[in-house]
Amino acid sequence: MKRLLKSFVTISALSSVVVAPIFLSAGHASALPQPTQKGTDANYVGVGVSAGVTNGGQNSDAAGIGGNVTGRVKLGDTPLSARGQLLWGEETTAIIPQISADLGIAKGTNAFVGVGYSFVEKDGKPSPLGNKDGLALTAGVESELGNSFMVYSNATVGVDAYKNSPASALSINGGLGYRFR
């Protein structure tokens, strides 16, 4: 039952990230990016590398290298965004829906901090963000590369992210995104 609930939450979170841009962009008449003084309002999906850099102290908690899929949807004219991350390693994946506060720091570049929840698909198996579900905090930067691409990097902390250990997990992530609005 617990696995079924996790699968349902996972599918719901990913569906929200995919469907939200359709509804949020329905009122815009132009397909061209809107100019901004500082920061970016880009919605994007990207892929890259994920490195778990911590160890929970148990035999099955080893840090490792994996990959990530990251997405961002700007929430209207607010400084907030809906974000999602999939961080995978050799044995399982952490699925992290988040809300972030974005701050434009240069033309086409944002710094952001976010809060969300990490759902580890297989409890007890190592992901880049620990081996159990928990609170996830993220800080990062994203920048436009021309009109169609983004580069992003972030550090995500999984609070109390290991079974049988009070340790927190740290994952460093980065990649290249495709801008869809």
Side-chain angles (χ1 to χ4, degrees):
M1 182 68 176
K2 186 176 179 182
R3 185 175 209 151
L4 178 65
L5 182 60
K6 275 189 178 182
S7 294
F8 177 75
V9 169
T10 300
I11 291 169
S12 297
L14 292 175
S15 297
S16 297
V17 169
V18 170
V19 173
I22 296 168
F23 292 107
L24 292 175
S25 65
H28 295 283
S30 173
L32 298 174
Q34 300 296 320
T36 57
Q37 295 293 64
K38 279 190 174 182
T40 180
D41 61 354
N43 297 320
Y44 66 91
V45 175
V47 295
V49 177
S50 181
V53 296
T54 54
N55 187 320
Q58 307 295 317
N59 286 335
S60 64
D61 296 343
I65 301 288
N68 76 69
V69 174
T70 298
R72 175 196 187 221
V73 175
K74 176 101 168 81
L75 298 177
D77 291 332
T78 70
L80 303 176
S81 295
R83 295 179 185 269
Q85 294 186 79
L86 297 175
L87 308 178
W88 70 85
E90 289 182 22
E91 297 189 51
T92 193
T93 302
I95 300 152
I96 311 165
Q98 297 178 308
I99 294 291
S100 71
D102 311 321
L103 175 65
I105 57 173
K107 184 175 180 183
T109 303
N110 287 342
F112 61 89
V113 293
V115 62
Y117 198 82
S118 173
F119 298 94
V120 175
E121 284 190 313
K122 296 179 186 173
D123 275 349
K125 299 292 183 183
S127 78
L129 198 63
N131 65 9
K132 75 172 191 172
D133 299 351
L135 180 67
L137 306 172
T138 300
V141 65
E142 59 202 2
S143 188
E144 297 175 0
L145 292 176
N147 290 329
S148 298
F149 295 98
M150 303 288 295
V151 63
Y152 64 90
S153 179
N154 67 61
T156 301
V157 174
V159 178
D160 189 26
Y162 293 102
K163 286 187 170 223
N164 303 318
S165 173
S168 293
L170 175 64
S171 178
I172 306 297
N173 314 292
L176 182 66
Y178 179 73
R179 180 181 180 149
F180 57 87
R181 183 184 86 93

